[in-house]
Amino acid sequence: MKIKIFTIVSLLIINSAVRADEGMWIPLLLKKYTIEDMQKKGFKLTAEDIYSVNQACLKDAIVIFGRGCTGELISDQGLILTNHHCGYGRIQAHSSLEHDYLTDGFWAMSRDEELANPGLSVTFLVRMEDVTKDVLDGITEKDDEAVRERKIGENITKIQNENSDGSNYRVSIKPFYYGNEYYMFIYEEYRDVRLVGAPPSSIGKFGGDTDNWMWPRHTGDFSIFRIYANKENKPADYSKDNVPYKPKKHLSISMKGINKGDFTMVFGYPGSTEQYLTSHGVKMIMDDSNPHKINIRAKLLEIMKTDMDASDKVRIQYSSKYAGIANYWKKWIGENKGLKKLNAIRKKEQLEMEFQKWAEADRKRNEKYGRLLTDFGKIYKELTPYSLTLDYLSEALLSLDMVRFAGNFREIESFTDKEAFIKQSEQYKAQAAGFFKDFNTPTCKKLFTSMVRIYRDSVDAEFQPGLFSQIDAKFKGNIDAFVSDIFEKSNLTTEEKFNMLFEKPSLKTISVIKNDPFYILYNDLVSIYRNKLMLKIDMLNSRLDKLYRLYVTGLKEMQTEKIFYPDANFTMRIAYGKVDDYFPTDGVFYEHFTTLEGIMEKDNPLIYDYDVPDKLRELYKSKDYGRYADKEGKMRVCFTASNHTTGGNSGSPVLNANGELIGVNFDRNWEGTMSDIMYNPDQCRNITLDIRYVLFIVDKFAGATHLINEMTIIE
């Protein structure tokens, strides 16, 4: 486990065998590694049908949606499908008490009604290429990590410059197998993306955080957007003159449904996995990192929920923030349970004992690999307290609204020219308008008070921000009084005070911001990271880089019969498996699909997350499912399969053996959330929204039949 600022950087993963249910495969290498196995499992297409630079193919219908999800083209007029939770922030941004699209849903019945989303983009992969030889040119085993990284950085810059032609293309080069290989990705980004449709949260978020990461599932987790381009079909900023994008490829939609054992394929951008962690890394996650982060987020959620339940305004303001915090809070709980059930640490230790025995059996191998595991143990022991401090810094304080908002002004001290600052002030005002729209001072104050208390009680004095010294010196240990004082003194805690400050911006405004307690606190926290954590963590990470790179090389030498796949790093991947049920615990069996009947069984008008819309109740009562029902006349909602997925796969298309869209990936089962670290085919299932339920909601529930007419539907 490696630590970077506010994130946990992914490590390499390796599979113990070639299985259809495990692995996240690089499309460029399908022909070399997996297409034969895929076809044996039922896949009807070729590797060229999935990825090609010479012809339109499936990869041309897949996009990065925003900065962390996947989406897919479902019409020749730029219509894209993704998850409701991926579009949630945009739906929330358009919502107000007068137009509560979270509660009521939104459907554009004409192109003119589609809503623009400044800052939202979708990104297409143009092509990928193995550039390992060029990136590692001039690198020797004798180079220390600093020299190695400098040379690699120089080589990457050279390759990027050679492949950038001043067009709309963006060049990215990423390491695989812990820096043993490198691949280049060339992307094209479209910046005019408009909201077309979203079901009400009572459908798109049905079950809320109670059902999140769970199966059986009944959530209609989808939203629909449209890509716009200029008249040459090229990327352009938002303009009324832009026209719907004409894609090279869009997905055909299958109405044939699914059965247990059917081939399935997930095509998207999985974010991060860590399946090649040593036992030391798994211990740090299970025993230190996860428990503390779970406790911090549990307190944040408790405070938010109390205020959201008491006010519709606060519910709208904080719904997206709450969902974001709750998502991984629950995931980490399930991950720890799954790792414990799998006895993951013991299994890692067994592999390590086998590796050590193999290394010591040969003098040259022993010289190269013999000390690896001992060195891993020493580094993780040294890293753990710094990792934990960073968890508290990022989770308890730097994630808070007020601290993050103050961080928007981090470059304010660089202004010496009044006119330049006045110009920049317009951007500050725009940021503030968005911030205060979704900000409630009493709620923020409660959150801040709680997190100050948790951080102060849990983190060593060496890492306490200077501003906290006032708690004892000025307020005699009274945290409530300290918080009240800085909220009162700050000009950033209410929209009124902020607007007064920036009504006539001047160089004096800069001085006021510099002395604002939240600006001071933000700088204190960043200083702690940079001066007391970053150098140490980066040094330890660098040592881990070298060890893991060597460990992977050794495992490949030891396990010559295995096929290794690279860890997820938010690059395009294929995962394939089959529709399947599972046994979560002793004596419990879960069917592989759910139906609308299950939604009605959960219906409870007294609970926001389970209050089924009247229109859906009517459709269920009349059984008005149209052509979207299965052969038994039931309306299917979701299904499970054995595809290996993770965060970033949200919104990914789930395809059948013919490459046709059968569903939208949106979650994993709680018993299988440990799949980021260790995959178990009996335990791990990805959860998919049946495409027939999507079409049913669009057509029968929303009456947006014009969208159905855009799609290519295979009966």
Side-chain angles (χ1 to χ4, degrees):
M1 181 180 182
K2 289 182 57 189
I3 308 301
K4 296 289 184 185
I5 188 166
F6 319 144
T7 65
I8 298 178
V9 176
S10 63
L11 302 179
L12 174 73
I13 61 177
I14 173 178
N15 64 335
S16 58
V18 181
R19 290 194 299 248
D21 46 39
E22 181 177 1
M24 299 175 181
W25 304 96
I26 304 171
L28 179 66
L29 303 179
L30 290 181
K31 192 171 183 179
K32 181 178 180 181
Y33 289 122
T34 58
I35 194 65
E36 223 177 285
D37 187 60
M38 292 170 69
Q39 290 168 341
K40 286 179 182 178
K41 301 294 192 297
F43 189 55
K44 301 290 196 297
L45 305 181
T46 68
E48 279 278 304
D49 293 322
I50 294 174
Y51 175 85
S52 176
V53 294
N54 300 314
Q55 63 185 34
C57 58
L58 290 175
K59 68 101 172 156
D60 297 315
I62 314 301
V63 298
I64 299 173
F65 182 86
R67 294 292 179 265
C69 284
T70 302
E72 52 272 6
L73 273 295
I74 56 170
S75 87
D76 63 359
Q77 299 172 54
L79 210 61
I80 51 175
L81 182 64
T82 190
N83 286 154
H84 186 270
H85 74 259
C86 293
Y88 195 77
R90 301 297 167 167
I91 302 165
Q92 186 268 341
H94 289 296
S95 296
S96 63
L97 287 174
E98 294 76 24
H99 300 286
D100 188 354
Y101 298 137
L102 291 177
T103 299
D104 303 328
F106 170 80
W107 302 97
M109 293 303 175
S110 69
R111 300 280 169 84
D112 291 339
E113 294 179 3
E114 296 174 359
L115 301 177
N117 298 279
L120 176 63
S121 64
V122 298
T123 305
F124 290 88
L125 175 67
V126 179
R127 66 181 176 91
M128 63 179 73
E129 181 181 337
D130 184 348
V131 292
T132 304
K133 183 179 178 181
D134 292 331
V135 171
L136 297 183
D137 183 42
I139 307 298
T140 70
E141 289 187 5
K142 295 180 180 179
D143 292 334
D144 64 30
E145 286 301 291
V147 172
R148 187 179 194 275
E149 288 304 309
R150 178 180 58 77
K151 289 181 178 179
I152 286 174
E154 292 171 354
N155 289 342
I156 286 175
T157 299
K158 179 182 177 183
I159 297 167
Q160 288 176 324
N161 290 338
E162 290 172 350
N163 287 275
S164 299
D165 58 2
S167 65
N168 289 300
Y169 291 166
R170 173 171 60 86
V171 180
S172 173
I173 297 175
K174 288 196 174 185
F176 289 73
Y177 302 110
Y178 246 81
N180 283 313
E181 295 180 16
Y182 286 82
Y183 287 81
M184 176 174 68
F185 300 84
I186 296 181
Y187 297 108
E188 187 171 34
E189 184 177 72
Y190 282 76
R191 303 180 298 277
D192 186 353
V193 183
R194 305 181 194 180
L195 177 61
V196 174
S201 293
S202 52
I203 291 175
K205 203 172 179 291
F206 183 79
D209 297 300
T210 303
D211 284 4
N212 191 24
W213 300 105
M214 305 298 284
W215 184 260
R217 200 67 178 274
H218 300 87
T219 310
D221 195 348
F222 78 94
S223 57
I224 300 174
F225 291 75
R226 192 186 304 279
I227 308 169
Y228 280 77
N230 64 21
K231 293 179 181 179
E232 286 74 43
N233 208 38
K234 294 296 183 182
D237 293 328
Y238 171 82
S239 169
K240 291 182 179 180
D241 295 328
N242 287 346
V243 296
Y245 169 70
K246 295 292 183 183
K248 297 176 184 176
K249 176 80 174 180
H250 70 277
L251 299 179
S252 298
I253 297 173
S254 173
M255 294 283 286
K256 298 174 184 178
I258 54 95
N259 295 300
K260 181 180 175 180
D262 283 354
F263 176 91
T264 59
M265 180 176 79
V266 175
F267 204 168
Y269 286 85
S272 175
T273 51
E274 302 177 289
Q275 289 205 14
Y276 195 58
L277 286 174
T278 64
S279 60
H280 318 90
V282 178
K283 284 178 183 176
M284 188 167 78
I285 289 173
M286 290 183 67
D287 298 342
D288 295 288
S289 184
N290 278 357
H292 288 273
K293 291 188 294 186
I294 288 166
N295 290 338
I296 292 169
R297 291 200 176 198
K299 189 61 181 178
L300 291 170
L301 292 170
E302 176 189 343
I303 294 169
M304 283 187 180
K305 188 174 189 307
T306 299
D307 283 15
M308 289 167 68
D309 287 347
S311 165
D312 282 341
K313 182 179 179 181
V314 176
R315 174 181 57 77
I316 293 171
Q317 289 174 320
Y318 282 79
S319 56
S320 182
K321 301 172 190 176
Y322 185 94
I325 293 170
N327 190 36
Y328 266 68
W329 164 77
K330 192 169 185 178
K331 190 263 188 183
W332 291 325
I333 295 172
E335 182 175 78
N336 265 21
K337 287 185 175 182
L339 290 170
K340 185 177 180 180
K341 181 178 179 180
L342 268 181
N343 203 4
I345 292 174
R346 179 56 183 159
K347 288 180 179 177
K348 293 284 187 180
E349 289 173 340
Q350 288 172 342
L351 174 62
E352 290 158 12
M353 286 189 287
E354 180 186 348
F355 181 85
Q356 189 67 33
K357 184 178 179 180
W358 169 82
E360 291 174 353
D362 178 86
R363 182 180 60 82
K364 288 186 177 180
R365 291 202 303 257
N366 194 41
E367 289 176 357
K368 188 173 183 179
Y369 303 117
R371 287 192 52 82
L372 266 180
L373 295 169
T374 299
D375 290 343
F376 270 122
K378 290 179 180 178
I379 295 175
Y380 274 109
K381 184 177 180 180
E382 191 174 356
L383 178 62
T384 296
Y386 291 97
S387 166
L388 196 56
T389 299
L390 182 57
D391 285 339
Y392 275 95
L393 190 70
S394 57
E395 291 284 332
L397 293 181
L398 280 167
S399 65
L400 293 172
D401 280 353
M402 281 309 313
V403 179
R404 292 170 61 201
F405 182 52
N408 288 336
F409 304 95
R410 57 189 174 275
E411 297 176 355
I412 201 167
E413 296 178 49
S414 64
F415 287 100
T416 56
D417 179 75
K418 179 181 176 182
E419 296 304 317
F421 176 66
I422 290 174
K423 184 177 180 181
Q424 179 64 26
S425 293
E426 294 305 312
Q427 182 176 328
Y428 291 146
K429 291 176 184 178
Q431 290 171 337
F435 173 76
F436 286 113
K437 175 183 179 295
D438 299 323
F439 176 79
N440 181 57
T441 301
T443 302
C444 180
K445 197 171 182 180
K446 294 173 191 175
L447 293 169
F448 185 75
T449 302
S450 175
M451 292 301 105
V452 168
R453 184 169 284 112
I454 285 176
Y455 188 91
R456 197 161 179 261
D457 291 344
S458 305
V459 175
D460 288 346
E462 178 188 359
F463 304 105
Q464 296 284 341
L467 194 67
F468 282 13
S469 63
Q470 295 181 11
I471 296 173
D472 290 324
K474 185 175 180 180
F475 298 99
K476 300 179 180 179
N478 189 328
I479 293 176
D480 291 325
F482 164 74
V483 171
S484 294
D485 182 69
I486 64 172
F487 265 76
E488 179 64 30
K489 289 180 177 178
S490 175
N491 284 284
L492 307 178
T493 52
T494 70
E495 191 167 14
E496 292 74 21
K497 287 196 287 186
F498 180 89
N499 288 340
M500 287 180 62
L501 179 63
F502 277 86
E503 185 177 6
K504 294 181 179 179
S506 65
L507 295 181
K508 183 179 179 181
T509 307
I510 296 177
S511 177
V512 173
I513 293 291
K514 284 170 59 178
N515 290 287
D516 190 277
F518 279 105
Y519 180 78
I520 292 171
L521 177 59
Y522 173 81
N523 283 329
D524 277 352
L525 297 175
V526 172
S527 177
I528 289 169
Y529 171 74
R530 287 176 176 167
N531 300 323
K532 298 182 179 181
L533 288 174
M534 181 177 67
L535 293 178
K536 188 70 174 180
I537 287 172
D538 281 356
M539 181 268 290
L540 294 171
N541 278 346
S542 180
R543 289 166 61 188
L544 281 177
D545 278 338
K546 187 173 183 177
L547 294 185
Y548 272 109
R549 191 167 59 249
L550 194 58
Y551 189 34
V552 169
T553 302
L555 278 172
K556 286 186 175 182
E557 289 180 20
M558 183 181 80
Q559 300 175 313
T560 55
E561 76 285 1
K562 310 295 184 185
I563 295 180
F564 289 65
Y565 62 89
D567 190 9
N569 59 0
F570 204 54
T571 57
M572 182 177 276
R573 303 294 178 88
I574 293 287
Y576 63 101
K578 62 181 180 180
V579 176
D580 210 353
D581 49 37
Y582 72 106
F583 293 84
T585 57
D586 182 48
V588 177
F589 168 73
Y590 283 152
E591 186 63 273
H592 63 278
F593 67 92
T594 58
T595 68
L596 185 56
E597 186 174 339
I599 293 177
M600 296 307 151
E601 289 171 350
K602 291 180 177 179
D603 185 16
N604 188 339
L606 299 179
I607 302 175
Y608 181 80
D609 289 330
Y610 293 103
D611 185 8
V612 176
D614 290 338
K615 180 68 178 291
L616 191 56
R617 291 193 188 105
E618 293 168 7
L619 291 168
Y620 171 73
K621 187 176 180 180
S622 65
K623 299 296 185 286
D624 185 12
Y625 306 148
R627 57 178 172 159
Y628 310 113
D630 66 14
K631 293 179 181 178
E632 286 74 38
K634 293 186 176 182
M635 186 67 252
R636 297 210 186 181
V637 178
C638 300
F639 65 89
T640 54
S642 59
N643 302 287
H644 193 176
T645 61
T646 187
N649 276 128
S650 291
S652 292
V654 180
L655 308 176
N656 63 14
N658 297 315
E660 299 160 347
L661 186 64
I662 56 173
V664 188
N665 184 80
F666 72 94
D667 208 352
R668 285 174 283 168
N669 61 328
W670 207 34
E671 299 84 4
T673 50
M674 78 297 169
S675 63
D676 289 348
I677 295 170
M678 184 175 285
Y679 189 91
N680 178 3
D682 298 323
Q683 216 172 308
C684 299
R685 296 289 179 268
N686 68 303
I687 301 176
T688 299
L689 174 63
D690 195 308
I691 195 63
R692 293 170 295 178
Y693 187 63
V694 174
L695 301 181
F696 164 72
I697 293 298
V698 173
D699 190 358
K700 294 289 187 176
F701 179 85
T705 310
H706 62 289
L707 299 178
I708 303 291
N709 294 336
E710 282 190 36
M711 305 173 194
T712 302
I713 297 178
I714 309 298
E715 296 287 353

